[in-house]
Amino acid sequence: MLVFTQNLTLPTIKTTLLITVLFATAQLMAGCDLQSSSSNNDITAQTDDVHKSKPEDNKTPINPAPIKSATADKAPAIEVSKLSNDKTVTPAGYQKLSFGQVITPELLNELGLTKAETDNEQCYYVSNPAVSYTDKEYGKRASVLYQMINNKVALITIQAPNIPFYTDIYVGDSVSEVMKAHNNELTYEVDKYALNGDYYSLIANVNFKVIKEPQLGESLKDNNIELNGKEDKLPIQIEYHIKGGQRLNGYRIKSTEWTADNRSLLKGEVESIDIGIPEAIYLVEGCS
């Protein structure tokens, strides 16, 4: 080694040292770049881990269109109205038939309703043969009857215990439940054939008030009543037919003339329910 060094000239030695320094510097710089790249990768990886730990940050926010309050409130009302018209007997009618509606043979056929045998073309009943029940006393009967006067819907009679009525009273309910549903504001009338008062009626005025009370056997006239609202086209009454009662103090008790004693004597249960215009309610013999 000593011999080799002695044989080199000074310029050669300088050149060799310069090359060595440059090579060492290049290696050092390459090492720093590699470390910097590695550090940046570590930072990126840590940032990714932070985002992955919060899945909600990666979700696209959903902003649905605002629902108008009028529309939101209207939807349930539509369902309720549909239920009332299709499933429940109300002052508006029942199953696509309303009070005062003109009836044609085509409409009866469309609704599956058949006309009862009668010679009276001004007053008759129709029913749906497919909707019936079996009564212990009378056998098979129509669940619902529609009374037509001058080819218009005048009265709807509920005979079956499973037909809903809008006052939440069903055939078979007690008279106390009926009175409670109407806050004791019902008119009492004994059936003219029930000498002992075991059959009687409780009558409610739905959308009108009476100006002049009718005399015995007289029906309500248009000039004797006042409608409660311009939207009401026809005055509507309810008549609950009660069986199993007993005679009270009088043939007729007005809705404003009840006493505690008379109310306590009320007995019986609902045999059928009529709802319709007063002209039909006050027909004692129906269409006969």
Side-chain angles (χ1 to χ4, degrees):
M1 183 67 182
L2 181 60
V3 176
F4 174 75
T5 303
Q6 289 177 347
N7 292 334
L8 292 178
T9 62
L10 182 59
T12 301
I13 294 171
K14 290 181 178 181
T15 301
T16 301
L17 290 173
L18 179 61
I19 293 172
T20 302
V21 170
L22 291 175
F23 179 78
T25 302
Q27 291 292 330
L28 180 62
M29 292 180 65
C32 291
D33 291 340
L34 181 61
Q35 182 177 2
S36 175
S37 176
S38 176
S39 298
N40 290 337
N41 289 338
D42 291 341
I43 293 173
T44 301
Q46 291 175 1
T47 303
D48 289 343
D49 289 341
V50 170
H51 284 290
K52 287 179 182 179
S53 67
K54 297 182 179 181
E56 63 272 14
D57 292 340
N58 295 324
K59 291 182 180 179
T60 302
I62 300 175
N63 296 316
I67 299 175
K68 295 182 179 180
S69 59
T71 304
D73 293 340
K74 190 175 181 181
I78 292 174
E79 293 301 318
V80 172
S81 174
K82 183 178 179 181
L83 177 65
S84 297
N85 291 335
D86 293 345
K87 304 296 183 182
T88 304
V89 180
T90 75
Y94 183 58
Q95 293 192 340
K96 300 182 180 180
L97 288 180
S98 57
F99 295 108
Q101 181 178 357
V102 177
I103 299 300
T104 63
E106 292 77 16
L107 180 59
L108 293 180
N109 183 65
E110 177 186 342
L111 298 178
L113 300 174
T114 59
K115 182 179 177 181
E117 294 184 6
T118 179
D119 295 329
N120 190 342
E121 294 301 325
Q122 282 69 47
C123 182
Y124 57 89
Y125 290 89
V126 301
S127 62
N128 188 338
V131 183
S132 62
Y133 76 108
T134 301
D135 184 86
K136 294 180 180 179
E137 183 177 354
Y138 301 104
K140 186 177 181 180
R141 306 177 77 195
S143 296
V144 177
L145 292 173
Y146 301 89
Q147 184 182 25
M148 309 298 170
I149 297 179
N150 297 324
N151 291 322
K152 295 180 181 179
V153 180
L155 186 80
I156 297 175
T157 299
I158 301 174
Q159 300 189 125
N162 63 335
I163 301 297
F165 190 51
Y166 84 104
T167 61
D168 205 27
I169 296 297
Y170 286 77
V171 170
D173 283 352
S174 68
V175 66
S176 60
E177 292 175 290
V178 175
M179 292 292 285
K180 183 178 179 180
H182 292 271
N183 296 318
N184 296 323
E185 297 176 357
L186 291 163
T187 297
Y188 168 89
E189 289 188 0
V190 177
D191 189 289
K192 72 174 186 177
Y193 296 111
L195 300 179
N196 296 323
D198 50 344
Y199 281 92
Y200 63 94
S201 297
L202 292 174
I203 302 173
N205 302 330
V206 176
N207 56 359
F208 66 93
K209 62 180 180 180
V210 177
I211 299 175
K212 179 183 177 182
E213 289 288 346
Q215 299 298 316
L216 181 63
E218 180 187 12
S219 63
L220 289 173
K221 304 296 183 182
D222 291 340
N223 58 350
N224 289 341
I225 62 176
E226 181 180 348
L227 293 173
N228 298 333
K230 296 180 180 180
E231 73 280 359
D232 297 322
K233 297 180 180 179
L234 290 172
I236 298 296
Q237 285 184 304
I238 302 170
E239 183 173 15
Y240 298 95
H241 296 276
I242 311 296
K243 65 178 181 179
Q246 62 181 9
R247 182 177 289 279
L248 304 184
N249 298 321
Y251 165 83
R252 188 170 188 265
I253 299 175
K254 297 179 182 179
S255 59
T256 57
E257 297 177 344
W258 282 99
T259 64
D261 289 340
N262 278 333
R263 282 200 300 268
S264 66
L265 293 175
L266 278 177
K267 294 182 179 180
E269 64 181 33
V270 178
E271 183 180 50
S272 63
I273 304 172
D274 290 342
I275 180 171
I277 62 174
E279 182 182 356
I281 292 289
Y282 278 87
L283 286 177
V284 179
E285 301 292 343
C287 284
S288 59

PDB file of all heavy atoms in Angstrom, residues 118-130:
ATOM      1  N   THR A 118    -141.796  -5.136  -4.339  1.00  0.00           N
ATOM      2  CA  THR A 118    -142.799  -4.179  -3.865  1.00  0.00           C
ATOM      3  C   THR A 118    -143.502  -3.553  -5.058  1.00  0.00           C
ATOM      4  O   THR A 118    -142.948  -3.486  -6.164  1.00  0.00           O
ATOM      5  CB  THR A 118    -142.142  -3.071  -3.023  1.00  0.00           C
ATOM      6  OG1 THR A 118    -143.151  -2.152  -2.611  1.00  0.00           O
ATOM      7  CG2 THR A 118    -141.090  -2.331  -3.813  1.00  0.00           C
ATOM      8  N   ASP A 119    -144.710  -3.097  -4.814  1.00  0.00           N
ATOM      9  CA  ASP A 119    -145.464  -2.376  -5.837  1.00  0.00           C
ATOM     10  C   ASP A 119    -145.344  -0.870  -5.650  1.00  0.00           C
ATOM     11  O   ASP A 119    -145.873  -0.093  -6.442  1.00  0.00           O
ATOM     12  CB  ASP A 119    -146.952  -2.779  -5.781  1.00  0.00           C
ATOM     13  CG  ASP A 119    -147.159  -4.250  -6.136  1.00  0.00           C
ATOM     14  OD1 ASP A 119    -146.358  -4.765  -6.938  1.00  0.00           O
ATOM     15  OD2 ASP A 119    -148.099  -4.864  -5.591  1.00  0.00           O
ATOM     16  N   ASN A 120    -144.644  -0.484  -4.602  1.00  0.00           N
ATOM     17  CA  ASN A 120    -144.501   0.939  -4.304  1.00  0.00           C
ATOM     18  C   ASN A 120    -143.236   1.468  -4.986  1.00  0.00           C
ATOM     19  O   ASN A 120    -142.123   1.173  -4.553  1.00  0.00           O
ATOM     20  CB  ASN A 120    -144.429   1.142  -2.792  1.00  0.00           C
ATOM     21  CG  ASN A 120    -144.515   2.609  -2.405  1.00  0.00           C
ATOM     22  OD1 ASN A 120    -144.307   3.494  -3.218  1.00  0.00           O
ATOM     23  ND2 ASN A 120    -144.823   2.850  -1.136  1.00  0.00           N
ATOM     24  N   GLU A 121    -143.399   2.231  -6.025  1.00  0.00           N
ATOM     25  CA  GLU A 121    -142.257   2.757  -6.760  1.00  0.00           C
ATOM     26  C   GLU A 121    -141.748   4.071  -6.173  1.00  0.00           C
ATOM     27  O   GLU A 121    -140.690   4.549  -6.557  1.00  0.00           O
ATOM     28  CB  GLU A 121    -142.632   2.970  -8.234  1.00  0.00           C
ATOM     29  CG  GLU A 121    -142.918   1.673  -8.985  1.00  0.00           C
ATOM     30  CD  GLU A 121    -141.735   0.725  -8.989  1.00  0.00           C
ATOM     31  OE1 GLU A 121    -140.579   1.219  -9.054  1.00  0.00           O
ATOM     32  OE2 GLU A 121    -141.941  -0.504  -8.909  1.00  0.00           O
ATOM     33  N   GLN A 122    -142.521   4.658  -5.258  1.00  0.00           N
ATOM     34  CA  GLN A 122    -142.072   5.897  -4.626  1.00  0.00           C
ATOM     35  C   GLN A 122    -141.264   5.641  -3.364  1.00  0.00           C
ATOM     36  O   GLN A 122    -140.481   6.483  -2.936  1.00  0.00           O
ATOM     37  CB  GLN A 122    -143.284   6.786  -4.262  1.00  0.00           C
ATOM     38  CG  GLN A 122    -143.898   7.539  -5.434  1.00  0.00           C
ATOM     39  CD  GLN A 122    -144.604   6.611  -6.403  1.00  0.00           C
ATOM     40  OE1 GLN A 122    -145.384   5.751  -5.975  1.00  0.00           O
ATOM     41  NE2 GLN A 122    -144.348   6.777  -7.686  1.00  0.00           N
ATOM     42  N   CYS A 123    -141.439   4.474  -2.764  1.00  0.00           N
ATOM     43  CA  CYS A 123    -140.715   4.139  -1.534  1.00  0.00           C
ATOM     44  C   CYS A 123    -140.418   2.650  -1.531  1.00  0.00           C
ATOM     45  O   CYS A 123    -141.336   1.822  -1.585  1.00  0.00           O
ATOM     46  CB  CYS A 123    -141.543   4.537  -0.316  1.00  0.00           C
ATOM     47  SG  CYS A 123    -140.714   4.227   1.270  1.00  0.00           S
ATOM     48  N   TYR A 124    -139.147   2.291  -1.464  1.00  0.00           N
ATOM     49  CA  TYR A 124    -138.762   0.880  -1.488  1.00  0.00           C
ATOM     50  C   TYR A 124    -137.370   0.716  -0.862  1.00  0.00           C
ATOM     51  O   TYR A 124    -136.667   1.699  -0.600  1.00  0.00           O
ATOM     52  CB  TYR A 124    -138.766   0.334  -2.913  1.00  0.00           C
ATOM     53  CG  TYR A 124    -137.878   1.090  -3.886  1.00  0.00           C
ATOM     54  CD1 TYR A 124    -136.546   0.736  -4.065  1.00  0.00           C
ATOM     55  CD2 TYR A 124    -138.383   2.169  -4.624  1.00  0.00           C
ATOM     56  CE1 TYR A 124    -135.735   1.430  -4.946  1.00  0.00           C
ATOM     57  CE2 TYR A 124    -137.584   2.870  -5.507  1.00  0.00           C
ATOM     58  CZ  TYR A 124    -136.261   2.495  -5.661  1.00  0.00           C
ATOM     59  OH  TYR A 124    -135.461   3.195  -6.528  1.00  0.00           O
ATOM     60  N   TYR A 125    -136.989  -0.540  -0.620  1.00  0.00           N
ATOM     61  CA  TYR A 125    -135.703  -0.858  -0.007  1.00  0.00           C
ATOM     62  C   TYR A 125    -134.822  -1.640  -0.974  1.00  0.00           C
ATOM     63  O   TYR A 125    -135.318  -2.413  -1.800  1.00  0.00           O
ATOM     64  CB  TYR A 125    -135.897  -1.692   1.266  1.00  0.00           C
ATOM     65  CG  TYR A 125    -136.511  -0.940   2.418  1.00  0.00           C
ATOM     66  CD1 TYR A 125    -137.897  -0.883   2.580  1.00  0.00           C
ATOM     67  CD2 TYR A 125    -135.706  -0.281   3.345  1.00  0.00           C
ATOM     68  CE1 TYR A 125    -138.460  -0.195   3.655  1.00  0.00           C
ATOM     69  CE2 TYR A 125    -136.259   0.414   4.410  1.00  0.00           C
ATOM     70  CZ  TYR A 125    -137.637   0.454   4.549  1.00  0.00           C
ATOM     71  OH  TYR A 125    -138.193   1.146   5.593  1.00  0.00           O
ATOM     72  N   VAL A 126    -133.514  -1.420  -0.854  1.00  0.00           N
ATOM     73  CA  VAL A 126    -132.529  -2.209  -1.594  1.00  0.00           C
ATOM     74  C   VAL A 126    -131.478  -2.691  -0.612  1.00  0.00           C
ATOM     75  O   VAL A 126    -131.269  -2.090   0.457  1.00  0.00           O
ATOM     76  CB  VAL A 126    -131.862  -1.402  -2.737  1.00  0.00           C
ATOM     77  CG1 VAL A 126    -132.900  -0.896  -3.734  1.00  0.00           C
ATOM     78  CG2 VAL A 126    -131.041  -0.253  -2.181  1.00  0.00           C
ATOM     79  N   SER A 127    -130.812  -3.784  -0.966  1.00  0.00           N
ATOM     80  CA  SER A 127    -129.758  -4.336  -0.103  1.00  0.00           C
ATOM     81  C   SER A 127    -128.789  -5.142  -0.949  1.00  0.00           C
ATOM     82  O   SER A 127    -129.052  -5.435  -2.121  1.00  0.00           O
ATOM     83  CB  SER A 127    -130.363  -5.226   0.993  1.00  0.00           C
ATOM     84  OG  SER A 127    -131.034  -6.331   0.413  1.00  0.00           O
ATOM     85  N   ASN A 128    -127.679  -5.509  -0.341  1.00  0.00           N
ATOM     86  CA  ASN A 128    -126.670  -6.332  -1.003  1.00  0.00           C
ATOM     87  C   ASN A 128    -126.815  -7.771  -0.500  1.00  0.00           C
ATOM     88  O   ASN A 128    -126.548  -8.039   0.681  1.00  0.00           O
ATOM     89  CB  ASN A 128    -125.272  -5.805  -0.690  1.00  0.00           C
ATOM     90  CG  ASN A 128    -124.194  -6.494  -1.509  1.00  0.00           C
ATOM     91  OD1 ASN A 128    -124.387  -7.591  -2.004  1.00  0.00           O
ATOM     92  ND2 ASN A 128    -123.059  -5.835  -1.663  1.00  0.00           N
ATOM     93  N   PRO A 129    -127.235  -8.699  -1.364  1.00  0.00           N
ATOM     94  CA  PRO A 129    -127.430 -10.087  -0.924  1.00  0.00           C
ATOM     95  C   PRO A 129    -126.170 -10.735  -0.359  1.00  0.00           C
ATOM     96  O   PRO A 129    -126.252 -11.671   0.438  1.00  0.00           O
ATOM     97  CB  PRO A 129    -127.886 -10.801  -2.202  1.00  0.00           C
ATOM     98  CG  PRO A 129    -128.380  -9.719  -3.103  1.00  0.00           C
ATOM     99  CD  PRO A 129    -127.543  -8.520  -2.790  1.00  0.00           C
ATOM    100  N   ALA A 130    -125.001 -10.226  -0.795  1.00  0.00           N
ATOM    101  CA  ALA A 130    -123.744 -10.814  -0.338  1.00  0.00           C
ATOM    102  C   ALA A 130    -123.369 -10.363   1.069  1.00  0.00           C
ATOM    103  O   ALA A 130    -122.477 -10.939   1.691  1.00  0.00           O
ATOM    104  CB  ALA A 130    -122.620 -10.459  -1.314  1.00  0.00           C
TER     105      ALA A 130
END
